[in-house]
Amino acid sequence: MLSKNYYLKVFSIFIFLFPVFIEGYSEDRKQRHFYVGAGWAHIGLRDKGISPLYYNGNHLFLTAGYNHRTEKTSNQLEANFLYGNITPTISTIYPGQNLLQIQSFKSGISFSHMRFAGNLSGDKGFFFLGGIIGSQFTYYEHNQFANSAKNNFSFSTFNISSSLAYPLSLNARECDLSLQIYMPVIALIIRPTYSYIRPEGFLDHNTGNLQSLLNSIEIVSLNKFFGLGSELSFKYKLRNNSALRFGYRWEYSGHNNINQLKTATHGIILQTFF
């Protein structure tokens, strides 16, 4: 007989996979854009399941998404991909560590829904409140290890979010300066056990793959998972309702268990809207 925890995990996955898209009022002015972008990211990682050392390095950063905005709502669906190598920081404890290297892949998808909550500085600043549902998967491979060379983890999070957009004018063209801050409050985590390539739920080989996947999910909140993220961007509108956006992103995640994980990402990206 399936436990209540099993049904809770199924319901949680349903919530994360099927977000509700809420449209604005029909009389609102609507803006719809597809966008693509590329840039640079720097990732730092300490995963005690693979090594006690702190690794960091540069990555290629690619994004693509869809943005739908009205005077009262803002919806955004985005996918991103990062690829690069990370190496240990300098230390005298582990001689010869300059030969160590981890190949890192990171991908993610997120949906953001924000609603207008008021103006700041008269009618210039637009303040929004809402949430972000997102999932990210990270895979990395160590060049010197054998049994624990390959590792991975995935987070699916529900985040509370706020943003402030401030319209500007540059060379008689409309511009937007915006800041968004978000924090996860619920996380669904899949990680391998200590120095083992499979998550805990897959160790019972008598179960099917789907049930093993559900058994391996850990549902936590701020007591075991803490994260914080932000994005500062400048958007310059061009002719034909297109635009360019330059942004800086920062994100931190930490999972506290016997196999402690801490990771942070800084990224600079240029995107074109059309």
Side-chain angles (χ1 to χ4, degrees):
M1 184 175 180
L2 299 178
S3 64
K4 292 182 179 179
N5 190 41
Y6 179 88
Y7 289 110
L8 176 61
K9 290 178 180 179
V10 173
F11 178 74
S12 300
I13 292 174
F14 178 83
I15 294 297
F16 277 92
L17 293 181
F18 296 94
V20 179
F21 288 73
I22 304 175
E23 300 291 346
Y25 298 104
S26 60
E27 65 269 17
D28 292 341
R29 184 181 62 177
K30 298 180 180 180
Q31 297 180 10
R32 296 183 177 91
H33 292 97
F34 289 97
Y35 63 89
V36 294
W40 163 89
H42 188 82
I43 292 181
L45 172 74
R46 176 177 278 118
D47 185 349
K48 292 187 176 180
I50 192 170
S51 172
L53 298 177
Y54 176 78
Y55 287 76
N56 64 92
N58 300 320
H59 288 62
L60 173 67
F61 189 6
L62 303 174
T63 66
Y66 171 75
N67 181 270
H68 175 220
R69 184 171 179 176
T70 71
E71 294 178 357
K72 297 185 182 295
T73 64
S74 176
N75 295 325
Q76 181 170 290
L77 179 66
E78 180 179 291
N80 56 69
F81 175 79
L82 295 91
Y83 168 74
N85 295 313
I86 53 179
T87 56
T89 55
I90 298 175
S91 173
T92 58
I93 300 177
Y94 298 92
Q97 67 173 355
N98 58 320
L99 300 177
L100 305 181
Q101 181 175 278
I102 292 179
Q103 193 174 36
S104 171
F105 301 85
K106 182 178 179 181
S107 61
I109 185 169
S110 65
F111 170 73
S112 168
H113 174 71
M114 310 289 291
R115 297 192 71 88
F116 177 69
N119 294 103
L120 299 179
S121 301
D123 59 351
K124 285 287 186 178
F126 298 92
F127 185 60
F128 290 83
L129 292 173
I132 300 174
I133 295 175
S135 296
Q136 60 177 262
F137 174 81
T138 300
Y139 169 85
Y140 43 96
E141 184 173 350
H142 202 289
N143 68 336
Q144 295 291 320
F145 294 164
N147 293 335
S148 60
K150 299 178 181 180
N151 214 322
N152 64 83
F153 61 85
S154 65
F155 298 145
S156 294
T157 57
F158 177 77
N159 308 261
I160 56 174
S161 178
S162 64
S163 67
L164 176 64
Y166 196 86
L168 300 170
S169 179
L170 181 64
N171 296 329
R173 293 193 180 276
E174 295 181 14
C175 305
D176 285 319
L177 182 64
S178 63
L179 172 65
Q180 183 175 29
I181 299 175
Y182 56 92
M183 183 179 73
V185 292
I186 300 175
L188 277 65
I189 301 172
I190 301 178
R191 291 185 60 204
T193 53
Y194 187 77
S195 296
Y196 195 77
I197 61 174
R198 284 181 176 270
E200 182 178 1
F202 282 85
L203 300 182
D204 183 2
H205 299 290
N206 294 323
T207 62
N209 288 335
L210 178 59
Q211 187 171 346
S212 295
L213 176 65
L214 294 174
N215 291 340
S216 67
I217 295 174
E218 181 183 5
I219 303 177
V220 298
S221 188
L222 299 176
N223 59 327
K224 296 189 66 175
F225 182 87
F226 177 78
L228 194 64
S230 66
E231 179 179 2
L232 178 65
S233 63
F234 176 78
K235 185 176 180 181
Y236 182 77
K237 297 182 180 179
L238 306 173
R239 293 188 177 92
N240 301 323
N241 202 28
S242 60
L244 291 175
R245 182 168 68 177
F246 178 79
Y248 166 75
R249 298 184 181 185
W250 173 84
E251 183 181 67
Y252 168 83
S253 298
H255 181 211
N256 295 319
N257 64 358
I258 191 172
N259 182 10
Q260 193 177 54
L261 169 71
K262 294 183 179 179
T263 179
T265 302
H266 301 265
I268 298 175
I269 194 162
L270 178 66
Q271 299 168 320
T272 178
F273 285 68
F274 53 92

